[in-house]
Amino acid sequence: MTNPPENPYEQPNPFAQQPPQQPYPASASGPLPPQPTGEFNVMGLVALICGIIAIGVSWVPFLGWFGMLPALAAVGFGIAGVAAQRYQGNRGLAIAGLILGGVGFIFCLILPIFTGAWFVFDQVISYDSSLGL
């Protein structure tokens, strides 16, 4: 038995079961990038907060050295957040925290030296002016 030929003028049934479709089109350039899993990258958030604290503390004269601890924590949590396979698609916070931690660490090294030198030179100048020199 053969099936009768299909009628070319017949409308398709809108309620007929459709074949499953791929969520993303196939690419000839290679595999698709990892998709976000919907999980939140907590290590990335901690890295971002520590990096912001490190940059904020680094500007305080004579206390900027204390910003190194949150800066190092931001770098550590940022590396852990980027390296975690679980958060393959949710790395933005971890990368931002890693960058802020690195910048905060550099600021914690450089800015206290400049603010301390500024304070010392200001004291020397005010002392010289009080002596009439």
Side-chain angles (χ1 to χ4, degrees):
M1 281 190 156
T2 61
N3 290 335
E6 291 186 30
N7 184 357
Y9 303 108
E10 184 177 334
Q11 294 291 327
N13 184 359
F15 301 107
Q17 187 174 10
Q18 300 292 326
Q21 296 180 356
Q22 295 283 334
Y24 303 103
S27 170
S29 64
L32 293 173
Q35 300 300 319
T37 58
E39 295 182 28
F40 190 71
N41 194 345
V42 177
M43 289 184 282
L45 180 65
V46 171
L48 183 68
I49 291 171
C50 288
I52 291 170
I53 290 171
I55 287 178
V57 170
S58 68
W59 290 92
V60 178
F62 299 110
L63 296 179
W65 302 102
F66 293 112
M68 281 191 190
L69 185 63
L72 291 175
V75 170
F77 280 116
I79 290 172
V82 169
Q85 293 293 324
R86 194 163 117 190
Y87 307 114
Q88 201 68 17
N90 298 332
R91 294 183 179 182
L93 288 175
I95 292 171
L98 183 60
I99 291 170
L100 285 178
V103 170
F105 186 76
I106 291 171
F107 281 177
C108 287
L109 289 176
I110 294 173
L111 291 178
I113 294 171
F114 286 125
T115 56
W118 186 355
F119 178 77
V120 169
F121 287 130
D122 184 49
Q123 294 297 319
V124 169
I125 290 171
S126 65
Y127 180 72
D128 287 344
S129 64
S130 69
L131 293 177
L133 299 174

